Amino acid sequence: MQYHITTKEETLEPHMYIDRYKDPEVKNLLHTYKFTPDIHSSIYREAKEALSRKTLDICLEKYISSRQGMIVYTAPPSTMFARGEKQVDSMFELLRSSSLTLLQLVQQMPGIDTCVDSIFSISHTYLKEKRAQHIDGTRKSRIKDIRSRYVISIKHILYLFYCIRIRKIRHFSYLIVDDVSSTGATLVACKETLLSKLSLVHRKNPHITYDVRIFSLSH
């Protein structure tokens, strides 16, 4: 599979992606998966399977082989799902559908553990005020509230401390995968929120280390 890297002119922070969203096949695939109302239909399942393979390829080929410690796969939360406008949180479901294959592979690699976790919640203020991205998708509007979009779930913080204190894990690698990046504001917002929380955890546990990477299926 061919990978590409965005530039600083294209996105707020360069990151790896697989396909260009302007490709009609890619665009139709993502649109079918994200907006087909019947999640039990064959067209929905086919789109999900194809995108799940792309997600898994990113996880396996470009990340897992070079990591140690705990690897956490996650995705930005869906605003439409949080508002009750969709039945599933699309991107996280792609990660979840790949989790069994990920776990089977990791079991063969000593020193590596993994989990797939929905660690982000959308700020209630942001959720209340946010308009649909397609109404105003300008770079300025998308980065305006970049630092106030998301919060880290209490459940994941508790899991972190369990891994540190009980399982004695010393390094945490995070992979945040989104479906489509334009300015990359969503990915950067998630990364900055996570880094801010991890720095606080590190302050209390200076022996641990961490890294956060961002990827997207399309750009």
Side-chain angles (χ1 to χ4, degrees), residues 32-45 87-88:
T32 298
Y33 176 64
K34 292 178 70 174
F35 299 111
T36 298
D38 183 5
I39 62 175
H40 302 293
S41 65
S42 60
I43 188 174
Y44 176 89
R45 291 197 302 270
Q87 297 182 57
V88 295

Side-chain angles (χ1 to χ4, degrees), residues 103-122:
L103 290 172
Q104 290 173 342
L105 180 69
V106 166
Q107 289 174 355
Q108 305 172 23
M109 297 182 175
I112 301 178
D113 203 349
T114 187
C115 75
V116 178
D117 195 5
S118 181
I119 72 175
F120 298 102
S121 298
I122 303 177

Side-chain angles (χ1 to χ4, degrees), residues 36-70:
T36 298
D38 183 5
I39 62 175
H40 302 293
S41 65
S42 60
I43 188 174
Y44 176 89
R45 291 197 302 270
E46 290 170 3
K48 180 179 180 180
E49 183 179 350
L51 291 174
S52 180
R53 287 196 299 269
K54 292 179 181 291
T55 306
L56 190 60
D57 284 339
I58 283 182
C59 296
L60 300 184
E61 292 184 23
K62 293 297 178 181
Y63 201 72
I64 197 171
S65 60
S66 62
R67 301 291 98 187
Q68 290 289 314
M70 173 63 71

Side-chain angles (χ1 to χ4, degrees), residues 193-206:
T193 299
L194 179 57
L195 286 173
S196 177
K197 183 62 68 173
L198 288 173
S199 68
L200 295 177
V201 173
H202 176 71
R203 200 172 301 168
K204 295 182 179 181
N205 303 269

